[in-house]
Amino acid sequence: MNAPLKQHLIDPEICIRCNTCEETCPEDAITHDNNNYVVDATKCNLCMDCIQPCPTGSIDNWRIVRSPYSLDEQYSWGELPKQGELTGGDDGEAIDSEVLALLDQAHTGVGGKSVPPASAAKPAVNLYQRNHAAVATVTGNFRLTHQDSDVDVHHVILDFGEVAFSVLEGQSIGIVPPGVDEEGKPHRVRLYSIASPRHGERPNTNNLALTVKREPNGLCSNYISDLKKGDQVNVTGPFGATFLMPNDPSANIIMICTGTGSAPFRGFTEWRRRSMPSAPGRMLLFFGARRPQDLPYFGPLQNVPESLLGKRFAYSRIPSEEKVYVQDLIRQEGASLVALLCSTATHIYVCGLKGMEQGVDAALDDICRTANLRWRELRDAMRTEGRYHVETY
Ligand code: FAD
């Protein structure tokens, strides 16, 4: 059986045939006929030089395949083929229904399930399953919260080496904890959001980061938090096809989170910074924690310029200070948020603990009412248009 490989492809539906990619490619891997621009898999070395100059984002498409699509196949396409599943053969395990049910639950907010942003890249899903897990090596594991904090959150970097594992910001992966339960059954897979952008912690590295909170007596979070450099981990996924970021540089992205809910937003911010540094769309982060010491990425966030990411922090347990939650910040920012909500370029993402969405929803309802907007109608329209997203667990 061939090992899966990552193939670079161009989306013929979005490509405007401007020839920029063909001119840019240092390997002469990009060519065209009268119909399509295509990538020669025998020449492409995934250097990514062509990604940034492309004016449409059509160049940024990837499939994990067992044998690459030929040039003739690509010339004939009117649209990109969907990512197929790589079950790894006859004994391949079907999609882990428990994982999908968890994900479904996580992505169902007040009023229902969302759809992906219209301009989002097409994700690969369920490439690796428990019986055919991708094996990743730990290349970093450090604590993100202050040493005084009793909230123990870790930044863990998993490197996939030669294994093709294609992800988008906002997707999750499954971690297979080793061992079996009291009944002798393998432990169930746990989901973790990807905290890095699609091309890795550094551009063009085949790795990804997780933001994991150690739960008291939690099986998998303790396993991950205790991993050492060089340890190997079985990974399934990637999962998730809706909680994705828009590829449109004019999209305003409002991100509301607590704790490890910040993970996907780290990926969003870094991808925007790398791929469209002068994007006109705004990024705004509302981040809640008990104290600054408990807030993952507190230090690194201070270094992110406001021009890239507007940051608003809410602390609920600072002695002798009033408790502030993310919903209070939303009310404080009411006027500027309402202005953003009036634009069809605005997307809202809510991520973190179950239950946080209710308070956020009530605050958005309040600020809309003061501006004679109907939040519920707006929210439902935004959801249908792929502009309102929730991931709570
Ligand atoms: P488990 O062993 O599953 O236990 C869960 C809780 O139950 C623990 O608090 C434990 O103390 C308690 N418990 C266990 N056994 C018992 C018992 N016998 N009696 C009483 N209590 C018990 N988490 C993150 O940290 N970061 C992420 O980015 C992240 N992303 C997620 C994305 C999605 C889409 C979803 C659905 C979840 C995500 N999670 C994330 C949560 C994660 O999947 C796990 O649920 C979490 O790490 C806890 O798993 P665990 O194995 O450590 O705990």
Side-chain angles (χ1 to χ4, degrees):
M1 187 201 309
N2 297 332
L5 60 91
K6 185 170 173 178
Q7 185 174 11
H8 184 196
L9 297 168
I10 299 172
D11 187 339
E13 285 184 289
I14 308 175
C15 173
I16 54 170
R17 281 81 176 156
C18 65
N19 206 52
T20 314
C21 54
E22 194 170 320
E23 279 166 25
T24 312
C25 178
E27 304 299 321
D28 288 331
I30 300 182
T31 179
H32 68 279
D33 69 356
N34 288 338
N35 198 31
N36 284 338
Y37 275 74
V38 298
V39 187
D40 187 339
T42 62
K43 294 184 181 169
C44 173
N45 64 3
L46 313 184
C47 72
M48 313 283 165
D49 285 5
C50 57
I51 303 296
Q52 205 161 325
C54 170
T56 63
S58 59
I59 193 84
D60 195 17
N61 279 282
W62 313 88
R63 292 290 181 273
I64 308 294
V65 292
R66 292 219 179 271
S67 57
Y69 293 106
S70 68
L71 293 181
D72 283 340
E73 281 174 287
Q74 296 178 54
Y75 285 138
S76 70
W77 288 343
E79 60 181 280
L80 279 181
K82 289 216 162 52
Q83 172 67 59
E85 272 176 39
L86 295 173
T87 54
D90 292 343
D91 58 341
E93 192 185 35
I95 300 176
D96 186 337
S97 53
E98 200 178 28
V99 165
L100 290 191
L102 267 177
L103 201 66
D104 222 40
Q105 239 174 35
H107 288 171
T108 304
V110 279
K113 275 192 71 175
S114 55
V115 298
S119 66
K122 295 187 181 77
V125 290
N126 200 39
L127 296 173
Y128 298 90
Q129 300 93 31
R130 185 202 291 274
N131 289 354
H132 298 281
V135 179
T137 304
V138 177
T139 53
N141 180 355
F142 54 88
R143 184 175 157 122
L144 287 170
T145 39
H146 194 271
Q147 59 198 25
D148 294 347
S149 172
D150 56 5
V151 182
D152 188 16
V153 181
H154 285 244
H155 184 76
V156 179
I157 304 168
L158 301 178
D159 190 280
F160 287 87
E162 297 297 306
V163 177
F165 200 93
S166 189
V167 300
L168 290 175
E169 307 75 25
Q171 286 194 289
S172 304
I173 60 166
I175 297 288
V176 187
V180 291
D181 63 18
E182 316 79 70
E183 293 170 18
K185 291 195 198 135
H187 291 299
R188 64 183 169 77
V189 170
R190 267 66 161 186
L191 288 173
Y192 294 90
S193 307
I194 295 163
S196 41
R198 65 191 77 178
H199 296 150
E201 277 287 86
R202 292 216 194 90
N204 313 332
T205 45
N206 192 20
N207 62 18
L208 57 79
L210 303 177
T211 312
V212 178
K213 175 168 178 267
R214 191 192 289 275
E215 294 292 344
N217 304 317
L219 181 91
C220 195
S221 59
N222 278 281
Y223 162 65
I224 300 172
S225 301
D226 291 336
L227 285 168
K228 308 266 178 302
K229 259 189 181 180
D231 284 349
Q232 298 207 313
V233 181
N234 285 343
V235 178
T236 66
F239 300 109
T242 61
F243 196 91
L244 303 172
M245 73 180 289
N247 239 339
D248 175 4
S250 60
N252 303 309
I253 303 178
I254 300 172
M255 299 167 282
I256 304 164
C257 65
T258 53
T260 55
S262 54
F265 302 148
R266 181 177 180 271
F268 283 20
T269 307
E270 190 54 18
W271 179 243
R272 176 68 68 100
R273 188 185 69 77
R274 275 186 210 171
S275 66
M276 34 187 109
S278 348
R282 280 190 73 192
M283 294 189 93
L284 193 52
L285 175 72
F286 294 91
F287 197 165
R290 294 186 310 179
R291 305 171 306 155
Q293 295 93 311
D294 305 328
L295 194 131
Y297 303 112
F298 181 77
L301 268 169
Q302 309 308 309
N303 299 328
V304 181
E306 279 289 306
S307 54
L308 173 68
L309 178 71
K311 299 171 285 292
R312 310 288 184 267
F313 298 113
Y315 301 119
S316 59
R317 300 270 176 85
I318 297 191
S320 71
E321 281 188 22
E322 216 172 295
K323 294 180 177 180
V324 182
Y325 298 95
V326 282
Q327 50 267 39
D328 301 318
L329 294 180
I330 290 171
R331 290 191 177 88
Q332 280 168 24
E333 291 269 334
S336 60
L337 281 177
V338 162
L340 285 173
L341 289 176
C342 288
S343 162
T344 54
T346 297
H347 295 244
I348 295 183
Y349 294 82
V350 181
C351 191
L353 289 182
K354 275 245 171 290
M356 73 173 286
E357 196 200 0
Q358 300 287 350
V360 167
D361 197 62
L364 289 167
D365 193 22
D366 282 351
I367 63 168
C368 282
R369 208 168 321 106
T370 57
N372 286 328
L373 281 176
R374 293 183 183 190
W375 165 241
R376 284 198 186 155
E377 284 171 25
L378 180 60
R379 181 192 68 204
D380 291 346
M382 287 179 79
R383 184 187 298 103
T384 315
E385 292 160 16
R387 298 192 294 115
Y388 181 78
H389 302 272
V390 177
E391 181 170 279
T392 52
Y393 45 85

